[in-house]
Amino acid sequence: MPDLQDKGFIVKSLNYSETSLIITWITKRHGIISTIAKGARRSKQKLYSKTDLFYEALLTFRSSTHDNSPYLHQLIDIELINQNKHVSKSYQHLLAATVYFELINHLVEQQTPVPELYDLFTKAIEYLDKKAPSKQILHRYERHLYMALGLDNGTQSIQKIRQRYYQKIPKSLLNLEKDFSS
């Protein structure tokens, strides 16, 4: 199978072994995908230092052909586009970026491309790279997210939409709102 390319953001990174990572991405054309980055934790590997959270990159990956792991693709290469350095400058910035992803992740299946949501996420990360998050921006983001998915026509409260579509509100969202209140 030929290698695939897409533009995306690293939204989650987990140690897989002493030398490898499992990296979750939100991408423009493939939706939310997970890749295994073999050797990415070794300082001499080409992927080392390119795998921090919320980095935007052009990724090259090989689609999984194994029946037991159809959602775990092999990461071949990363070409950094933007490191979004200011997103990681504070806990609140990181938490907001995490919430933006988790809201999408809860409502969209893996490997389901929704380019409008990728564009919305991109705008949110670009905003966070320049300014501090706020409750108003979070609610505006949520409103656009729900409207893009056809879950809201602009008349319902954010709280009612959350109650309807989330069995359990993401802990990160509750922490961010609590952080805004203090």
Side-chain angles (χ1 to χ4, degrees), residues 28 114-124:
K28 181 122 179 136
V114 185
E116 300 87 357
L117 298 186
Y118 177 81
D119 293 340
L120 178 63
F121 185 80
T122 300
K123 288 177 187 174

Side-chain angles (χ1 to χ4, degrees), residues 17-129:
S17 67
E18 286 186 30
T19 60
S20 299
L21 295 170
I22 293 180
I23 299 171
T24 303
W25 301 81
I26 183 168
T27 67
K28 181 122 179 136
R29 292 191 338 261
H30 294 89
I32 297 167
I33 63 169
S34 293
T35 59
I36 185 161
K38 294 181 179 178
R41 296 178 64 200
R42 287 189 188 140
S43 61
K44 294 181 182 178
Q45 288 291 327
K46 65 182 176 180
L47 297 177
Y48 186 79
S49 79
K50 295 182 180 181
T51 57
D52 280 345
L53 287 176
F54 305 108
Y55 277 12
E56 182 181 18
L58 180 64
L59 62 143
T60 303
F61 63 99
R62 190 163 295 131
S63 185
S64 175
T65 56
H66 300 334
D67 291 337
N68 59 351
S69 62
Y71 298 113
L72 187 58
H73 310 291
Q74 183 179 352
L75 186 62
I76 307 298
D77 196 16
I78 297 173
E79 185 180 318
L80 289 179
I81 296 170
N82 189 343
Q83 292 181 343
N84 297 307
K85 290 180 181 181
H86 293 98
V87 173
S88 61
K89 74 180 176 183
S90 77
Y91 171 73
Q92 195 176 53
H93 279 77
L94 277 172
L95 186 57
T98 300
V99 166
Y100 296 155
F101 168 69
E102 286 183 353
L103 290 169
I104 293 172
N105 191 40
H106 182 80
L107 297 170
V108 178
E109 285 188 40
Q110 278 237 331
Q111 300 188 138
T112 302
V114 185
E116 300 87 357
L117 298 186
Y118 177 81
D119 293 340
L120 178 63
F121 185 80
T122 300
K123 288 177 187 174
I125 295 300
E126 287 171 353
Y127 180 88
L128 280 178
D129 202 35

Side-chain angles (χ1 to χ4, degrees), residues 124-146:
I125 295 300
E126 287 171 353
Y127 180 88
L128 280 178
D129 202 35
K130 294 179 179 91
K131 297 181 182 178
S134 68
K135 192 171 190 173
Q136 294 82 7
I137 295 300
L138 170 63
H139 288 178
R140 185 177 303 156
Y141 175 85
E142 281 188 89
R143 179 76 62 197
H144 286 287
L145 170 66
Y146 302 142

